[in-house]
Amino acid sequence: MKTLRQSLPMLNAMAVFEAAARHGGLTPAAEELNIAQSAVSRHVANLERQLSVVLFTRKGNRVMLTREGNSLAIAIRNGLGTIKQAVEKLQPPDRDTLVVGCIYDLQQMWLMPRFELVASGVPNGQVMLLTSYDDRDFDQPDVAFSLRFGRPEDWPGFLAIKLFDGECFPVCSPAFLERYPTLASESYTAFRNVPLLHIVTEPGAVDSWESWISTESTLNGPRFTNYLSMMHETIAGRGAAIAWGGYIEEDLRLGRLVRLSATSRRHHNSFYVVKRKVTNSIVERVVKALLNSVELNMGN
């Protein structure tokens, strides 16, 4: 029977390969690990030779994972994450750092009103928020959990727990509704006759005004690439917008926004807490607090 060392050769090379796979390139992996790019290339080549498989296909300065390379990268990433969590459990509590991944808009509009729930779950440590629009950044071993939009099958090797549905509906400020009272009728025609605010999205997306009103014509009004900026303008009373329900629950509760339709549209994706299958007590405590906050609001 092979020993662990014989079955898992070249552990350093595996760690280097994982960095290259995560970054999609040898140079950024070298920068992260503070080693020469040639050293990264050598580690990967040695690993391929040792395993007798091709892990990357090279295209200029970029590398693409083969099927075998992708399987190995996922296994190494999960394994390193498990080892990291085991080491953290052995360390003194004052060394705890909880890294939470989240896209910027969701972080600002949903997570920050609940930041005290996160911080109170790490009484002897600190919380670090990692923002990105690329889910792959949240697969790093040091990310305790992340908040993502998608479906569980999008994140193999992780456990996904639904936060709330991808539900959207039109909203405006109370002052805007006073200026355009016909919006209270929920008539699609009424929306055509008021200033509209748009998020830049794919044609036919559920959160577009064109989709909501069922028109193929491009409607007038400013368009935003940033969801948070659009909602700031909505709260300021400069137009009506299509909003994601989970994002604006705090604004609805405080009366900064009003809902203009009892009906809603649902995306095939939803919002999830995504974590590893094996986590420590701090992660479990914080995730439970966030999930409970959703259930509490739904109860209200």
Side-chain angles (χ1 to χ4, degrees):
M1 180 179 295
K2 291 184 178 181
T3 65
L4 180 62
R5 184 169 183 176
Q6 291 171 327
S7 299
L8 299 175
M10 307 177 67
L11 292 177
N12 286 341
M14 287 188 176
V16 173
F17 161 71
E18 187 280 330
R22 176 161 32 86
H23 287 290
L26 305 184
T27 299
E31 293 173 352
E32 175 186 310
L33 300 171
N34 197 27
I35 60 177
Q37 189 270 345
S38 59
V40 175
S41 181
R42 185 172 61 255
H43 276 299
V44 172
N46 290 340
L47 187 59
E48 288 180 322
R49 184 171 58 255
Q50 182 74 25
L51 299 177
S52 299
V53 296
V54 176
L55 300 174
F56 287 122
T57 57
R58 281 112 175 135
K59 293 184 179 180
N61 295 327
R62 299 287 296 176
V63 293
M64 299 290 293
L65 286 167
T66 63
R67 183 178 61 181
E68 294 81 4
N70 185 60
S71 296
L72 182 60
I74 292 174
I76 293 174
R77 192 171 299 130
N78 291 340
L80 291 176
T82 301
I83 293 171
K84 179 178 181 294
Q85 291 159 12
V87 171
E88 288 176 344
K89 290 181 180 179
L90 299 176
Q91 292 176 332
D94 62 357
R95 298 180 64 181
D96 286 329
T97 298
L98 186 76
V99 181
V100 180
C102 190
I103 61 174
Y104 181 74
D105 295 338
L106 183 60
Q107 174 192 304
Q108 292 297 308
M109 300 197 71
W110 189 88
L111 183 59
M112 291 313 298
R114 295 168 169 79
F115 188 75
E116 180 57 31
L117 292 177
V118 180
S120 62
V122 196
N124 298 312
Q126 60 182 348
V127 178
M128 180 182 300
L129 299 180
L130 172 65
T131 58
S132 176
Y133 284 100
D134 188 341
D135 276 1
R136 292 174 297 182
D137 292 335
F138 304 147
D139 293 343
Q140 299 179 39
D142 60 337
V143 177
F145 68 89
S146 57
L147 307 180
R148 312 192 194 189
F149 182 67
R151 292 169 291 183
E153 55 265 33
D154 295 334
W155 313 297
F158 290 86
L159 179 64
I161 308 170
K162 183 184 285 190
L163 273 176
F164 46 83
D165 291 321
E167 177 188 26
C168 59
F169 44 80
V171 298
C172 71
S173 71
F176 189 84
L177 183 58
E178 287 184 9
R179 294 201 302 274
Y180 301 96
T182 56
L183 290 176
S185 68
E186 299 190 24
S187 168
Y188 288 172
T189 303
F191 291 122
R192 292 177 177 270
N193 300 319
V194 304
L196 300 178
L197 305 176
H198 307 262
I199 192 72
V200 174
T201 187
E202 297 293 327
V206 296
D207 56 342
S208 73
W209 275 114
E210 288 81 4
S211 176
W212 186 268
I213 298 176
S214 299
T215 179
E216 296 182 358
S217 302
T218 300
L219 298 172
N220 293 329
R223 297 181 182 270
F224 301 82
T225 58
N226 181 284
Y227 186 86
L228 185 60
S229 298
M230 182 182 72
M231 297 317 302
H232 280 165
E233 289 295 281
T234 308
I235 292 171
R238 285 186 272 273
I242 302 293
W244 293 100
Y247 276 31
I248 59 163
E249 59 182 26
E250 186 77 358
D251 296 309
L252 292 173
R253 184 180 68 83
L254 295 175
R256 292 192 290 252
L257 292 173
V258 292
R259 181 168 178 165
L260 296 174
S261 175
T263 62
S264 61
R265 303 281 176 83
R266 286 194 176 183
H267 197 279
H268 60 273
N269 290 337
S270 297
F271 294 88
Y272 290 86
V273 173
V274 179
K275 66 184 187 70
R276 288 178 173 78
K277 296 178 180 179
V278 178
T279 59
N280 59 37
S281 59
I282 292 176
V283 174
E284 294 299 324
R285 182 164 60 244
V286 173
V287 168
K288 182 178 180 180
L290 292 177
L291 293 172
N292 286 343
S293 75
V294 175
E295 294 178 0
L296 180 62
N297 283 333
M298 290 179 64
N300 292 337

